[in-house]
Amino acid sequence: MTLLTRVADSLLWTGRYLERAENLTRALRVTLHASHESGGREREDLARWNTLLEISGEREGFLTTRGEITGERVLEFLTLATDHPSSVRACVRRARENALAVRDRLSRELWEELNRLYWLLEEAGRGRGEGAGSLPAPGALRECENRFQLLQGLAETTVLRDDGWSFLRCGLLLERALQSVRVARAYVRSEPGAPGGSGSRRADALHWITLLKSCSAYEAYRKTYATFIRPEKALELLVGEERFPRSVRFCVAGLVRELSRIVGPAPETSPYRQVLRLAGRLESHLVYTEAAELFRPDPAAGLSDLAGELGRIGGAFARAALALPGVEPEAVPG
Amino acid sequence: MGSILGAGYSPDSRVYDEFVDASGTPRPHYQELYRILNTLGSEEVWRRQQVANLLLRDQGITFAVQGDPEGLERVFPLDLIPRIIPYHEWSVLEQGVKQRVVALNLFLQDLYHEQRILRDRVVPPELIYSSPHFRREMVGLNPPGGVYVHVAGIDLLREPSGQFVVVEDNLRTPSGISYVLENRAVMITVFPELFRHCPVRYGRDYADRLLEVLQHAAPANRDEPVVVLLTPGVYNSAYFEHAFLAREMGVELVEGRDLVVRDDYVYMRTTRGLKRVDVIYRRVDDDFLDPLVFRGDSLLGAAGLFHAYLRGNVGLANAPGTGVADDKAVYSYVPAIIRYYLGEEPVLPNVETFVLCGTKERAHVFQRPEAYVFKPTNQSGGYGLVLGPAASRDELEKLREQVEENPRGWVAQPVVQMSTHPTLVDGRLVPRRVDLRPYALYGESVTVIPGGLTRVALPDGCMVVNSSQGGGSKDTWVLASPRLPTARLERVA
């Protein structure tokens, strides 16, 4: 069945924004929980809020518009704010905008559920008075996370498995991999011993547990490695474990599968062959590189490289949507 | 008067009421409906109206009002009481609409070729050349089958005498058919009793017929023509209809940026590469179709599209340049046009129209402007319309200035006291003004869709029915046989 490249692009971004919003919601919930669990020590908490801002990529924007970093302000900033694109509410808005343009490609159940989530967040945002710094109700983050998971389930079980589905899935997987990398890197940068970290040895274990929980990886870690949490093993799980659904390797393998379907039997004519090449290369890299090698020269640098590769894949998708046969998409520097 | 209409149902006696006659008795073709409504009772009917409203909202049967800052989408209200047209009346309407569409098509063909009608001075040439929609680029072009107007919507009103008159032709991108189809679906869901005793011909086939007409417009030698629907996008007021029709026909809904023209062939950009397009059902105005030929700043069309059309490599429906024939000043010549090409008398009369570029006409009309409706010659959707009887002195003064400034841009028509129909407002049935827009499709020949869109002006005393001005709609029934005026009501299409 025909699929316009514009529609494919919208499906990709619907997936990406939904995944982004879900990850952020989980990271927020887990971080808040960790803060309560450890008794709310100011220095530790500050490190936590910084980590959240780092994950969202909006630390600069926050400092400019909100000033001092407090838990309340960060929470409002990352859930209901609309003056920047990386809050949960802003992501859902964009997801819905994209989905609106391709409504026919989604199942009715998925669309209606997305619409309901949109209105939930809009009403929460308006009712609370934007920027007033008021918090969402305690169970709200959990509720929100559940809604996202409902959407994932609906996508999985009600959308016809055609090319449109492949693009939606690519969006989900690409963003999922990227989020795992970003979360891991933020935690690596803010680890207790590091500058900007809380400086507390006691906080070590909790720090890495929080990382794992932010990626729904805590139980998976326990099952895979048993005993206590070691940072290098946590990173291995999140990046290279082939059985863990949120690992970069797992997601990229899924991307390769979907892209193979998209490119179809005549790859030379597909606008997406370049994307498949990049994804395939990254998959090989993750499969055949030893864990220690992946994090050379240091974990933060290794993770940044991965983020870069994933970013290149995203860029290749965008260029494919604009490319014309006979005109090679321009190479993107770096 | 029975319970459903209430003692308070009192239509204006100077006006034709569709449902009841002058003595207040339901007309023969409404009696069965009347019986059923009475059985249900007004509370139940009102409750069902609420259900219907929710259905419409949930399904998103909406339209967008231009320039409305509040919201993107508004539900186009459906009033549950259907409008019924008896068999013999419909036959006349069908004949009249067909005649009009055939004549207007011949007119367009002539205007863009020998222009015999201008040379014979039946229509003033200056009127044609001063019409912004006369497209010189179309001169000499031969569209497939000689068809310019593939889809037409003819607006009719019923006068107090009971006679239907044509108020307006819509030959460019007429909309509303999606509401006709969705209204029927909602009616069947909410009011099954009305459909129980009749052999309903499940008539979703408008989409099939439209697709056939569109395929007919394809270049020769294309076995399975690829048809697309070109939309300006999600912010267009009729977007719902574009998406609806594309889905019903099973054709791709495209925007200008999805199309690319190479070597005078049109393609759409798909994930498997470029795919050739044979026919474009374009719901984009002429002006925006091709930045190389028309407006250079348009992002809604595709560069090179018109040349592909000129070369005969792609079909366009409707053809560019049809707007010259639905220009309201040209409208006043349609009876003459019918006589000229068909040698027949018009089956459906025009409304008397004063083309205001004549000084005599202007003087005459402005002696009593409160008795006329003033219409810009080239707008649609009821925009810019000035209703004389409802306008203030200031508004009429301002109007006069506008007309003096651009006389070619205005026509005036005496206000037609259009018919009323019982309509549900706050749980009661009250008379509200209605019009009728039948749709015609021109493939190998002209077919008129039975019924069409009945629009109703919802505010009390209002005579403007357009959706953008707060109107709603009703399901429209056409009786299938003259011998079954009451017991069996058959919906056609």
Side-chain angles (χ1 to χ4, degrees), chain A residues 2-6 8 103-104 163 167 261-262 264-265 270-272 321-322 324-325, chain B residues 59 234 239 243 247 252-255 257-258 260 262 268-275:
Chain A
T2 313
L3 178 61
L4 295 171
T5 51
R6 170 178 55 85
R103 202 165 133 181
D104 290 352
D163 278 358
F167 278 92
R261 229 171 264 148
I262 286 167
S270 169
Y272 295 92
L322 298 172
L324 290 174
Chain B
Q59 288 173 28
V234 296
Y239 179 72
R247 196 168 51 240
E252 213 54 46
L253 181 68
V254 305
E255 296 176 18
R257 51 196 166 134
D258 299 318
V260 89
R262 279 229 171 129
M268 53 178 163
R269 287 133 59 94
T270 78
T271 54
R272 303 265 165 153
L274 293 182
K275 184 167 180 192

mmCIF file of all heavy atoms in Angstrom, chain A residues 2-6 8 103-104 163 167 261-262 264-265 270-272 321-322 324-325, chain B residues 59 234 239 243 247 252-255 257-258 260 262 268-275:
data_model
loop_
_atom_site.group_PDB
_atom_site.id
_atom_site.type_symbol
_atom_site.label_atom_id
_atom_site.label_comp_id
_atom_site.label_asym_id
_atom_site.label_seq_id
_atom_site.Cartn_x
_atom_site.Cartn_y
_atom_site.Cartn_z
ATOM 1 N N THR A 2 0.440 2.258 -0.716
ATOM 2 C CA THR A 2 1.240 3.474 -0.820
ATOM 3 C C THR A 2 1.371 4.182 0.517
ATOM 4 O O THR A 2 0.400 4.290 1.253
ATOM 5 C CB THR A 2 0.541 4.448 -1.794
ATOM 6 O OG1 THR A 2 0.173 3.743 -2.953
ATOM 7 C CG2 THR A 2 1.456 5.588 -2.155
ATOM 8 N N LEU A 3 2.552 4.644 0.803
ATOM 9 C CA LEU A 3 2.771 5.442 2.006
ATOM 10 C C LEU A 3 3.584 6.654 1.612
ATOM 11 O O LEU A 3 4.722 6.539 1.164
ATOM 12 C CB LEU A 3 3.512 4.604 3.058
ATOM 13 C CG LEU A 3 3.858 5.300 4.365
ATOM 14 C CD1 LEU A 3 2.603 5.761 5.084
ATOM 15 C CD2 LEU A 3 4.649 4.361 5.280
ATOM 16 N N LEU A 4 2.982 7.837 1.770
ATOM 17 C CA LEU A 4 3.700 9.063 1.433
ATOM 18 C C LEU A 4 4.840 9.258 2.426
ATOM 19 O O LEU A 4 4.698 8.970 3.614
ATOM 20 C CB LEU A 4 2.752 10.257 1.513
ATOM 21 C CG LEU A 4 1.603 10.272 0.508
ATOM 22 C CD1 LEU A 4 0.630 11.379 0.855
ATOM 23 C CD2 LEU A 4 2.115 10.462 -0.902
ATOM 24 N N THR A 5 5.944 9.818 1.959
ATOM 25 C CA THR A 5 7.078 10.026 2.857
ATOM 26 C C THR A 5 6.716 11.011 3.965
ATOM 27 O O THR A 5 7.193 10.884 5.089
ATOM 28 C CB THR A 5 8.318 10.552 2.100
ATOM 29 O OG1 THR A 5 7.930 11.679 1.314
ATOM 30 C CG2 THR A 5 8.891 9.488 1.188
ATOM 31 N N ARG A 6 5.861 11.972 3.657
ATOM 32 C CA ARG A 6 5.435 12.922 4.695
ATOM 33 C C ARG A 6 4.666 12.197 5.798
ATOM 34 O O ARG A 6 4.856 12.448 6.982
ATOM 35 C CB ARG A 6 4.556 13.998 4.065
ATOM 36 C CG ARG A 6 3.870 14.894 5.086
ATOM 37 C CD ARG A 6 3.051 15.968 4.410
ATOM 38 N NE ARG A 6 2.086 15.441 3.483
ATOM 39 C CZ ARG A 6 0.880 15.015 3.817
ATOM 40 N NH1 ARG A 6 0.491 15.065 5.066
ATOM 41 N NH2 ARG A 6 0.063 14.542 2.903
ATOM 42 N N ALA A 8 4.885 9.009 6.495
ATOM 43 C CA ALA A 8 5.846 8.152 7.191
ATOM 44 C C ALA A 8 6.591 8.957 8.247
ATOM 45 O O ALA A 8 6.792 8.513 9.375
ATOM 46 C CB ALA A 8 6.830 7.560 6.190
ATOM 47 N N ARG A 103 -4.099 10.253 11.066
ATOM 48 C CA ARG A 103 -5.071 9.553 11.891
ATOM 49 C C ARG A 103 -5.547 8.246 11.277
ATOM 50 O O ARG A 103 -5.771 7.262 11.967
ATOM 51 C CB ARG A 103 -6.255 10.480 12.087
ATOM 52 C CG ARG A 103 -7.061 10.161 13.275
ATOM 53 C CD ARG A 103 -7.956 11.320 13.572
ATOM 54 N NE ARG A 103 -9.286 10.858 13.815
ATOM 55 C CZ ARG A 103 -10.311 11.657 14.088
ATOM 56 N NH1 ARG A 103 -10.125 12.944 14.109
ATOM 57 N NH2 ARG A 103 -11.494 11.145 14.309
ATOM 58 N N ASP A 104 -5.695 8.235 9.963
ATOM 59 C CA ASP A 104 -6.183 7.039 9.283
ATOM 60 C C ASP A 104 -5.245 5.859 9.435
ATOM 61 O O ASP A 104 -5.646 4.720 9.278
ATOM 62 C CB ASP A 104 -6.330 7.318 7.784
ATOM 63 C CG ASP A 104 -7.469 8.260 7.529
ATOM 64 O OD1 ASP A 104 -8.202 8.548 8.491
ATOM 65 O OD2 ASP A 104 -7.610 8.713 6.397
ATOM 66 N N ASP A 163 3.523 -0.769 6.311
ATOM 67 C CA ASP A 163 4.692 0.106 6.356
ATOM 68 C C ASP A 163 4.500 1.246 7.356
ATOM 69 O O ASP A 163 5.457 1.682 7.991
ATOM 70 C CB ASP A 163 4.965 0.687 4.960
ATOM 71 C CG ASP A 163 5.742 -0.283 4.098
ATOM 72 O OD1 ASP A 163 6.085 -1.374 4.599
ATOM 73 O OD2 ASP A 163 6.010 0.040 2.924
ATOM 74 N N PHE A 167 7.087 2.502 10.510
ATOM 75 C CA PHE A 167 7.620 3.821 10.835
ATOM 76 C C PHE A 167 7.293 4.225 12.261
ATOM 77 O O PHE A 167 8.123 4.812 12.971
ATOM 78 C CB PHE A 167 7.112 4.874 9.840
ATOM 79 C CG PHE A 167 7.905 4.893 8.576
ATOM 80 C CD1 PHE A 167 7.526 4.133 7.483
ATOM 81 C CD2 PHE A 167 9.057 5.664 8.487
ATOM 82 C CE1 PHE A 167 8.281 4.124 6.322
ATOM 83 C CE2 PHE A 167 9.811 5.665 7.330
ATOM 84 C CZ PHE A 167 9.431 4.896 6.247
ATOM 85 N N ARG A 261 12.200 -4.133 6.271
ATOM 86 C CA ARG A 261 10.843 -4.226 5.737
ATOM 87 C C ARG A 261 10.514 -2.993 4.904
ATOM 88 O O ARG A 261 9.953 -3.073 3.818
ATOM 89 C CB ARG A 261 9.867 -4.325 6.907
ATOM 90 C CG ARG A 261 8.869 -5.447 6.773
ATOM 91 C CD ARG A 261 8.079 -5.612 8.051
ATOM 92 N NE ARG A 261 8.647 -6.643 8.907
ATOM 93 C CZ ARG A 261 8.598 -6.609 10.236
ATOM 94 N NH1 ARG A 261 8.068 -5.601 10.870
ATOM 95 N NH2 ARG A 261 9.113 -7.596 10.937
ATOM 96 N N ILE A 262 10.907 -1.837 5.432
ATOM 97 C CA ILE A 262 10.578 -0.580 4.759
ATOM 98 C C ILE A 262 11.295 -0.494 3.409
ATOM 99 O O ILE A 262 10.725 -0.100 2.402
ATOM 100 C CB ILE A 262 10.998 0.625 5.641
ATOM 101 C CG1 ILE A 262 10.027 0.761 6.819
ATOM 102 C CG2 ILE A 262 11.044 1.909 4.836
ATOM 103 C CD1 ILE A 262 10.531 1.696 7.902
ATOM 104 N N GLY A 264 12.414 -2.890 1.631
ATOM 105 C CA GLY A 264 11.772 -3.816 0.710
ATOM 106 C C GLY A 264 12.739 -4.542 -0.197
ATOM 107 O O GLY A 264 13.948 -4.539 0.008
ATOM 108 N N PRO A 265 12.209 -5.172 -1.227
ATOM 109 C CA PRO A 265 13.010 -6.050 -2.078
ATOM 110 C C PRO A 265 13.942 -5.333 -3.045
ATOM 111 O O PRO A 265 14.824 -5.951 -3.624
ATOM 112 C CB PRO A 265 11.946 -6.835 -2.864
ATOM 113 C CG PRO A 265 10.761 -5.942 -2.876
ATOM 114 C CD PRO A 265 10.800 -5.126 -1.626
ATOM 115 N N SER A 270 15.077 2.566 -2.762
ATOM 116 C CA SER A 270 14.409 3.060 -1.564
ATOM 117 C C SER A 270 15.107 4.297 -1.018
ATOM 118 O O SER A 270 16.333 4.315 -0.882
ATOM 119 C CB SER A 270 14.379 1.989 -0.481
ATOM 120 O OG SER A 270 13.963 2.570 0.740
ATOM 121 N N PRO A 271 14.333 5.314 -0.686
ATOM 122 C CA PRO A 271 14.931 6.500 -0.068
ATOM 123 C C PRO A 271 15.527 6.199 1.302
ATOM 124 O O PRO A 271 16.250 7.011 1.857
ATOM 125 C CB PRO A 271 13.749 7.475 0.073
ATOM 126 C CG PRO A 271 12.655 6.926 -0.752
ATOM 127 C CD PRO A 271 12.878 5.458 -0.892
ATOM 128 N N TYR A 272 15.250 5.007 1.842
ATOM 129 C CA TYR A 272 15.649 4.719 3.218
ATOM 130 C C TYR A 272 16.857 3.799 3.316
ATOM 131 O O TYR A 272 17.217 3.362 4.407
ATOM 132 C CB TYR A 272 14.453 4.134 4.001
ATOM 133 C CG TYR A 272 13.344 5.160 4.140
ATOM 134 C CD1 TYR A 272 12.318 5.247 3.207
ATOM 135 C CD2 TYR A 272 13.369 6.077 5.188
ATOM 136 C CE1 TYR A 272 11.346 6.228 3.301
ATOM 137 C CE2 TYR A 272 12.391 7.051 5.294
ATOM 138 C CZ TYR A 272 11.393 7.123 4.347
ATOM 139 O OH TYR A 272 10.424 8.086 4.439
ATOM 140 N N ALA A 321 13.022 11.604 3.892
ATOM 141 C CA ALA A 321 11.683 12.128 3.656
ATOM 142 C C ALA A 321 11.712 13.265 2.640
ATOM 143 O O ALA A 321 10.712 13.564 1.994
ATOM 144 C CB ALA A 321 11.068 12.618 4.966
ATOM 145 N N LEU A 322 12.873 13.901 2.504
ATOM 146 C CA LEU A 322 12.954 15.046 1.592
ATOM 147 C C LEU A 322 13.626 14.710 0.274
ATOM 148 O O LEU A 322 13.572 15.468 -0.670
ATOM 149 C CB LEU A 322 13.762 16.170 2.259
ATOM 150 C CG LEU A 322 13.180 16.740 3.538
ATOM 151 C CD1 LEU A 322 14.167 17.701 4.179
ATOM 152 C CD2 LEU A 322 11.872 17.464 3.253
ATOM 153 N N LEU A 324 14.901 13.232 -3.291
ATOM 154 C CA LEU A 324 14.298 12.893 -4.576
ATOM 155 C C LEU A 324 15.211 11.909 -5.278
ATOM 156 O O LEU A 324 16.419 12.066 -5.244
ATOM 157 C CB LEU A 324 14.154 14.141 -5.450
ATOM 158 C CG LEU A 324 13.116 15.148 -4.984
ATOM 159 C CD1 LEU A 324 13.175 16.402 -5.846
ATOM 160 C CD2 LEU A 324 11.725 14.531 -5.042
ATOM 161 N N PRO A 325 14.641 10.878 -5.913
ATOM 162 C CA PRO A 325 15.482 9.908 -6.619
ATOM 163 C C PRO A 325 16.306 10.605 -7.679
ATOM 164 O O PRO A 325 15.841 11.506 -8.363
ATOM 165 C CB PRO A 325 14.462 8.968 -7.273
ATOM 166 C CG PRO A 325 13.228 9.146 -6.500
ATOM 167 C CD PRO A 325 13.239 10.560 -5.996
ATOM 168 N N GLN B 59 -16.981 11.376 16.673
ATOM 169 C CA GLN B 59 -16.439 10.970 15.386
ATOM 170 C C GLN B 59 -15.702 12.095 14.706
ATOM 171 O O GLN B 59 -15.102 11.900 13.655
ATOM 172 C CB GLN B 59 -17.580 10.489 14.473
ATOM 173 C CG GLN B 59 -18.139 9.147 14.916
ATOM 174 C CD GLN B 59 -19.364 8.762 14.127
ATOM 175 O OE1 GLN B 59 -19.499 9.165 12.984
ATOM 176 N NE2 GLN B 59 -20.247 7.992 14.729
ATOM 177 N N VAL B 234 -4.418 20.303 7.042
ATOM 178 C CA VAL B 234 -5.289 20.155 8.207
ATOM 179 C C VAL B 234 -5.944 21.449 8.659
ATOM 180 O O VAL B 234 -6.944 21.419 9.376
ATOM 181 C CB VAL B 234 -4.548 19.531 9.422
ATOM 182 C CG1 VAL B 234 -4.100 18.134 9.102
ATOM 183 C CG2 VAL B 234 -3.389 20.395 9.854
ATOM 184 N N TYR B 239 -11.198 20.313 5.734
ATOM 185 C CA TYR B 239 -10.248 19.197 5.794
ATOM 186 C C TYR B 239 -10.924 17.875 6.133
ATOM 187 O O TYR B 239 -10.592 16.827 5.579
ATOM 188 C CB TYR B 239 -9.132 19.466 6.805
ATOM 189 C CG TYR B 239 -8.148 18.337 6.905
ATOM 190 C CD1 TYR B 239 -7.247 18.088 5.873
ATOM 191 C CD2 TYR B 239 -8.132 17.477 8.000
ATOM 192 C CE1 TYR B 239 -6.357 17.040 5.934
ATOM 193 C CE2 TYR B 239 -7.251 16.429 8.071
ATOM 194 C CZ TYR B 239 -6.352 16.212 7.038
ATOM 195 O OH TYR B 239 -5.472 15.161 7.105
ATOM 196 N N ALA B 243 -10.346 14.382 4.001
ATOM 197 C CA ALA B 243 -9.882 13.110 4.559
ATOM 198 C C ALA B 243 -10.951 12.033 4.400
ATOM 199 O O ALA B 243 -10.654 10.884 4.062
ATOM 200 C CB ALA B 243 -9.533 13.293 6.034
ATOM 201 N N ARG B 247 -10.575 8.652 2.099
ATOM 202 C CA ARG B 247 -10.690 7.356 2.753
ATOM 203 C C ARG B 247 -11.779 6.511 2.102
ATOM 204 O O ARG B 247 -11.580 5.346 1.800
ATOM 205 C CB ARG B 247 -11.007 7.561 4.233
ATOM 206 C CG ARG B 247 -10.776 6.345 5.094
ATOM 207 C CD ARG B 247 -10.828 6.669 6.567
ATOM 208 N NE ARG B 247 -12.014 7.396 6.954
ATOM 209 C CZ ARG B 247 -12.012 8.602 7.512
ATOM 210 N NH1 ARG B 247 -10.867 9.218 7.731
ATOM 211 N NH2 ARG B 247 -13.132 9.205 7.854
ATOM 212 N N GLU B 252 -5.198 8.226 -2.144
ATOM 213 C CA GLU B 252 -4.237 8.893 -1.280
ATOM 214 C C GLU B 252 -4.623 10.357 -1.089
ATOM 215 O O GLU B 252 -5.014 11.046 -2.023
ATOM 216 C CB GLU B 252 -2.868 8.804 -1.954
ATOM 217 C CG GLU B 252 -1.689 8.707 -1.019
ATOM 218 C CD GLU B 252 -1.792 7.579 -0.031
ATOM 219 O OE1 GLU B 252 -2.136 6.451 -0.445
ATOM 220 O OE2 GLU B 252 -1.526 7.819 1.155
ATOM 221 N N LEU B 253 -4.517 10.825 0.149
ATOM 222 C CA LEU B 253 -4.752 12.238 0.442
ATOM 223 C C LEU B 253 -3.395 12.923 0.407
ATOM 224 O O LEU B 253 -2.521 12.610 1.206
ATOM 225 C CB LEU B 253 -5.384 12.368 1.829
ATOM 226 C CG LEU B 253 -5.730 13.779 2.293
ATOM 227 C CD1 LEU B 253 -6.857 14.363 1.465
ATOM 228 C CD2 LEU B 253 -6.139 13.763 3.770
ATOM 229 N N VAL B 254 -3.198 13.829 -0.527
ATOM 230 C CA VAL B 254 -1.876 14.449 -0.655
ATOM 231 C C VAL B 254 -1.929 15.947 -0.439
ATOM 232 O O VAL B 254 -2.961 16.588 -0.622
ATOM 233 C CB VAL B 254 -1.239 14.169 -2.046
ATOM 234 C CG1 VAL B 254 -1.169 12.692 -2.328
ATOM 235 C CG2 VAL B 254 -1.948 14.900 -3.158
ATOM 236 N N GLU B 255 -0.793 16.480 -0.052
ATOM 237 C CA GLU B 255 -0.629 17.927 -0.017
ATOM 238 C C GLU B 255 0.352 18.294 -1.126
ATOM 239 O O GLU B 255 1.044 17.418 -1.661
ATOM 240 C CB GLU B 255 -0.089 18.365 1.342
ATOM 241 C CG GLU B 255 -1.059 18.072 2.457
ATOM 242 C CD GLU B 255 -0.500 18.423 3.833
ATOM 243 O OE1 GLU B 255 0.483 19.197 3.902
ATOM 244 O OE2 GLU B 255 -1.054 17.925 4.815
ATOM 245 N N ARG B 257 3.206 19.470 -1.145
ATOM 246 C CA ARG B 257 4.604 19.058 -0.981
ATOM 247 C C ARG B 257 4.848 17.570 -1.194
ATOM 248 O O ARG B 257 5.979 17.126 -1.238
ATOM 249 C CB ARG B 257 5.108 19.451 0.402
ATOM 250 C CG ARG B 257 4.202 19.003 1.519
ATOM 251 C CD ARG B 257 4.526 19.736 2.789
ATOM 252 N NE ARG B 257 3.455 19.548 3.753
ATOM 253 C CZ ARG B 257 3.656 19.249 5.030
ATOM 254 N NH1 ARG B 257 4.876 19.133 5.493
ATOM 255 N NH2 ARG B 257 2.634 19.104 5.847
ATOM 256 N N ASP B 258 3.775 16.803 -1.331
ATOM 257 C CA ASP B 258 3.959 15.376 -1.624
ATOM 258 C C ASP B 258 4.117 15.137 -3.115
ATOM 259 O O ASP B 258 4.446 14.030 -3.536
ATOM 260 C CB ASP B 258 2.753 14.565 -1.139
ATOM 261 C CG ASP B 258 2.546 14.689 0.350
ATOM 262 O OD1 ASP B 258 3.538 14.653 1.086
ATOM 263 O OD2 ASP B 258 1.374 14.828 0.768
ATOM 264 N N VAL B 260 5.569 15.902 -6.983
ATOM 265 C CA VAL B 260 6.734 16.418 -7.685
ATOM 266 C C VAL B 260 6.470 16.215 -9.180
ATOM 267 O O VAL B 260 5.893 15.209 -9.591
ATOM 268 C CB VAL B 260 7.996 15.689 -7.170
ATOM 269 C CG1 VAL B 260 8.283 14.433 -7.954
ATOM 270 C CG2 VAL B 260 9.168 16.598 -7.127
ATOM 271 N N ARG B 262 8.018 15.913 -12.915
ATOM 272 C CA ARG B 262 9.263 15.667 -13.645
ATOM 273 C C ARG B 262 8.933 15.388 -15.078
ATOM 274 O O ARG B 262 8.129 14.511 -15.354
ATOM 275 C CB ARG B 262 9.932 14.414 -13.084
ATOM 276 C CG ARG B 262 10.701 14.632 -11.857
ATOM 277 C CD ARG B 262 12.056 13.992 -12.021
ATOM 278 N NE ARG B 262 12.882 14.380 -10.903
ATOM 279 C CZ ARG B 262 13.559 13.540 -10.162
ATOM 280 N NH1 ARG B 262 13.486 12.248 -10.421
ATOM 281 N NH2 ARG B 262 14.285 13.963 -9.172
ATOM 282 N N MET B 268 3.918 11.281 -6.893
ATOM 283 C CA MET B 268 3.871 11.536 -5.453
ATOM 284 C C MET B 268 5.036 10.809 -4.786
ATOM 285 O O MET B 268 5.496 9.761 -5.267
ATOM 286 C CB MET B 268 2.538 11.102 -4.841
ATOM 287 C CG MET B 268 2.102 9.703 -5.097
ATOM 288 S SD MET B 268 0.529 9.388 -4.235
ATOM 289 C CE MET B 268 -0.008 7.922 -5.110
ATOM 290 N N ARG B 269 5.514 11.407 -3.701
ATOM 291 C CA ARG B 269 6.697 10.885 -3.020
ATOM 292 C C ARG B 269 6.277 9.831 -2.009
ATOM 293 O O ARG B 269 5.679 10.137 -0.979
ATOM 294 C CB ARG B 269 7.420 12.029 -2.313
ATOM 295 C CG ARG B 269 8.135 12.919 -3.274
ATOM 296 C CD ARG B 269 7.842 14.361 -2.978
ATOM 297 N NE ARG B 269 8.250 14.701 -1.654
ATOM 298 C CZ ARG B 269 9.435 15.228 -1.375
ATOM 299 N NH1 ARG B 269 10.281 15.487 -2.344
ATOM 300 N NH2 ARG B 269 9.763 15.508 -0.149
ATOM 301 N N THR B 270 6.609 8.585 -2.301
ATOM 302 C CA THR B 270 6.252 7.509 -1.397
ATOM 303 C C THR B 270 7.503 6.877 -0.829
ATOM 304 O O THR B 270 8.616 7.112 -1.313
ATOM 305 C CB THR B 270 5.434 6.402 -2.103
ATOM 306 O OG1 THR B 270 6.317 5.576 -2.860
ATOM 307 C CG2 THR B 270 4.388 6.998 -3.012
ATOM 308 N N THR B 271 7.309 6.040 0.165
ATOM 309 C CA THR B 271 8.461 5.405 0.800
ATOM 310 C C THR B 271 9.117 4.386 -0.114
ATOM 311 O O THR B 271 10.211 3.909 0.175
ATOM 312 C CB THR B 271 8.032 4.708 2.101
ATOM 313 O OG1 THR B 271 6.960 3.810 1.810
ATOM 314 C CG2 THR B 271 7.572 5.726 3.132
ATOM 315 N N ARG B 272 8.457 4.061 -1.216
ATOM 316 C CA ARG B 272 9.090 3.148 -2.176
ATOM 317 C C ARG B 272 9.538 3.887 -3.421
ATOM 318 O O ARG B 272 9.766 3.284 -4.462
ATOM 319 C CB ARG B 272 8.089 2.051 -2.578
ATOM 320 C CG ARG B 272 7.556 1.259 -1.417
ATOM 321 C CD ARG B 272 8.315 0.001 -1.192
ATOM 322 N NE ARG B 272 8.024 -0.566 0.126
ATOM 323 C CZ ARG B 272 8.109 -1.838 0.428
ATOM 324 N NH1 ARG B 272 8.466 -2.694 -0.488
ATOM 325 N NH2 ARG B 272 7.834 -2.249 1.639
ATOM 326 N N GLY B 273 9.615 5.180 -3.321
ATOM 327 C CA GLY B 273 10.053 5.936 -4.486
ATOM 328 C C GLY B 273 8.913 6.746 -5.082
ATOM 329 O O GLY B 273 7.855 6.873 -4.502
ATOM 330 N N LEU B 274 9.152 7.341 -6.262
ATOM 331 C CA LEU B 274 8.134 8.174 -6.891
ATOM 332 C C LEU B 274 7.064 7.318 -7.539
ATOM 333 O O LEU B 274 7.362 6.332 -8.207
ATOM 334 C CB LEU B 274 8.777 9.066 -7.963
ATOM 335 C CG LEU B 274 9.741 10.132 -7.461
ATOM 336 C CD1 LEU B 274 10.257 10.962 -8.630
ATOM 337 C CD2 LEU B 274 9.082 11.037 -6.442
ATOM 338 N N LYS B 275 5.811 7.722 -7.340
ATOM 339 C CA LYS B 275 4.710 6.979 -7.950
ATOM 340 C C LYS B 275 3.896 7.932 -8.816
ATOM 341 O O LYS B 275 3.477 8.989 -8.371
ATOM 342 C CB LYS B 275 3.839 6.361 -6.867
ATOM 343 C CG LYS B 275 2.727 5.498 -7.416
ATOM 344 C CD LYS B 275 2.090 4.663 -6.332
ATOM 345 C CE LYS B 275 0.986 3.808 -6.939
ATOM 346 N NZ LYS B 275 0.154 3.185 -5.961
#
